[in-house]
Amino acid sequence: GDSVTQMEGPVTLSEEAFLTINCTYTATGYPSLFWYVQYPGEGLQLLLKATKADDKGSNKGFEATYRKETTSFHLEKGSVQVSDSAVYFCALSGANSKLTFGKGITLSVRP
Amino acid sequence: NAGVTQTPKFRILKIGQSMTLQCAQDMNHNYMYWYRQDPGMGLKLIYYSVGAGITDKGEVPNGYNVSRSTTEDFPLRLELAAPSQTSVYFCASSRTSTGDEKLFFGSGTQLSVL
């Protein structure tokens, strides 16, 4: 079945540091890929998405590129802010159109 | 815009008690979902609905029931609460179920069964 694997956390960075959060997936066919973010005390919200190979999703300074050859969708940001502290979930929507989520990773950014 | 509204935000149950988690959306979405989020784990789909009167099981349906009498509401029922149901529950909705459609989430219900 479909699965999403995220790097182990938590991650703690200083403000303005570079961020990479790894995500790899297993799926049949051509899934759509997503990053969702969960701020403290809130529900998840869509951060960015990509629907086909080599697409780059971007939002709020975050980027992720759909790499079919490596089955990856790594999240990057050049300069993180304290307000980026949250839990980040990688997810895919496969042949059944249902979302499969990774375990999530907690990011803490210190001033 | 209210979006997806869940109540209550917190609840403590004793083993064997029952309760209903409420979920309502005001976006006229056909598709609605219930997920549970356990510590250090991703979200698991409990039940979903593709429209009023139509529901189906997700990945972890045991111990739960749902109904969908209106487009707006999608309550989740726990009949005999067990400690294994301690979790954070999220309701979500979407316009369609196409692969690239985003989900709108409620802010969650934190449930403890003691």
Side-chain angles (χ1 to χ4, degrees):
Chain A
D2 297 344
S3 67
V4 175
T5 302
Q6 292 185 232
M7 61 183 278
E8 293 292 326
V11 174
T12 302
L13 295 173
S14 297
E15 203 165 26
E16 299 184 0
F18 184 84
L19 170 71
T20 299
I21 300 177
N22 290 341
C23 172
T24 58
Y25 68 90
T26 302
T28 55
Y30 302 94
S32 294
L33 301 174
F34 305 81
W35 277 100
Y36 278 81
V37 59
Q38 183 182 24
Y39 297 106
E42 300 183 9
L44 281 72
Q45 55 187 276
L46 181 66
L47 179 60
L48 53 83
K49 70 179 183 183
T51 58
K52 61 182 186 294
D54 300 324
D55 267 3
K56 178 184 285 187
S58 61
N59 186 25
K60 299 182 180 180
F62 291 89
E63 294 182 339
T65 300
Y66 189 142
R67 301 286 188 199
K68 189 161 181 64
E69 64 275 13
T70 55
T71 61
S72 64
F73 193 54
H74 303 324
L75 183 68
E76 296 182 336
K77 187 175 186 182
S79 176
V80 294
Q81 305 299 312
V82 173
S83 57
D84 294 325
S85 298
V87 182
Y88 291 82
F89 293 91
C90 186
L92 70 81
S93 178
N96 64 2
S97 295
K98 299 297 178 293
L99 279 178
T100 298
F101 287 88
K103 292 185 177 182
I105 186 169
T106 300
L107 170 66
S108 298
V109 180
R110 53 179 181 236
Chain B
N1 285 337
V4 179
T5 303
Q6 288 183 239
T7 56
K9 290 190 179 300
F10 304 94
R11 184 73 185 269
I12 298 174
L13 287 180
K14 294 182 179 178
I15 295 172
Q17 286 186 320
S18 62
M19 78 163 293
T20 300
L21 281 66
Q22 302 291 345
C23 175
Q25 53 91 10
D26 62 357
M27 296 172 283
N28 201 33
H29 285 169
N30 285 323
Y31 292 78
M32 296 187 74
Y33 312 82
W34 275 106
Y35 288 90
R36 59 178 286 172
Q37 181 185 23
D38 298 321
M41 304 294 291
L43 279 70
K44 302 292 185 184
L45 182 64
I46 305 171
Y47 270 96
Y48 66 98
S49 170
V50 302
I54 307 171
T55 62
D56 206 349
K57 295 177 181 179
E59 189 178 356
V60 290
N62 292 342
Y64 307 94
N65 281 299
V66 294
S67 59
R68 183 96 181 270
S69 58
T70 66
T71 299
E72 293 78 19
D73 300 301
F74 190 41
L76 178 72
R77 179 84 177 163
L78 283 71
E79 291 294 349
L80 290 171
S84 61
Q85 293 178 305
T86 294
S87 189
V88 180
Y89 292 83
F90 288 102
C91 179
S93 72
S94 63
R95 188 173 54 88
T96 72
S97 74
T98 56
D100 61 350
E101 187 74 17
K102 79 173 186 178
L103 266 61
F104 293 80
F105 283 83
S107 58
T109 296
Q110 187 167 330
L111 175 67
S112 296
V113 182
L114 306 175

